[in-house]
Amino acid sequence: QVQLVESGGGLVQAGDSLRLSCAASGRYFSSYSMGWFRQPAGKEREFVGATSWSGGSTSYSDSVKGRFTISRDNAKNTVYLQMNSLKPVDTAVYYCALRWRALSARADDYNYWGQGTQVTVSP
């Protein structure tokens, strides 16, 4: 079993930065991809970005490209989502997810999910 725990959410103002962390624990880890998704209140979950095991391959949604950056520390089994130039439209619950295969933008492709962390961006 795998456990994912997100942290770092909070209330910020537009233009501010925030860094989310996702710590993975549990079973033995081999290669896996990590994704970040978000779900605004009353809306469907959407893809934010993902990274491969090595971190050499990343993918971002158009809405966050150039503002958000995913990085990972495999020694700590932790993935980060650095969010810069935040906008009110970025307000959502942010989830990290783990996939045993290549990175994907589809939520259904992921095997494990964290509990989510709220990010609120005020105007």
Side-chain angles (χ1 to χ4, degrees):
Q1 191 68 14
V2 172
Q3 293 81 41
L4 302 176
V5 179
E6 300 100 335
S7 61
L11 172 63
V12 297
Q13 293 185 327
D16 286 351
S17 297
L18 205 59
R19 189 177 80 158
L20 305 183
S21 299
C22 174
S25 62
R27 60 175 285 183
Y28 172 76
F29 290 99
S30 57
S31 299
Y32 59 91
S33 300
M34 293 292 293
W36 285 96
F37 293 78
R38 66 186 183 187
Q39 187 166 17
K43 298 184 178 181
E44 294 186 354
R45 192 169 299 189
E46 61 184 30
F47 174 71
V48 174
T51 180
S52 62
W53 162 254
S54 67
S57 179
T58 55
S59 177
Y60 298 95
S61 69
D62 288 342
S63 62
V64 307
K65 196 174 297 182
R67 298 188 299 123
F68 291 10
T69 302
I70 296 175
S71 61
R72 62 190 297 166
D73 184 340
N74 289 338
K76 297 181 179 179
N77 288 325
T78 300
V79 177
Y80 305 97
L81 179 65
Q82 178 67 43
M83 304 184 293
N84 298 330
S85 302
L86 282 162
K87 305 174 182 179
V89 295
D90 295 319
T91 296
V93 177
Y94 283 72
Y95 299 89
C96 65
L98 182 150
R99 182 171 193 248
W100 294 120
R101 295 186 178 184
L103 64 86
S104 170
R106 297 180 65 245
D108 289 345
D109 287 342
Y110 286 80
N111 304 100
Y112 299 96
W113 290 82
Q115 82 289 349
T117 185
Q118 176 72 45
V119 172
T120 303
V121 184
S122 63

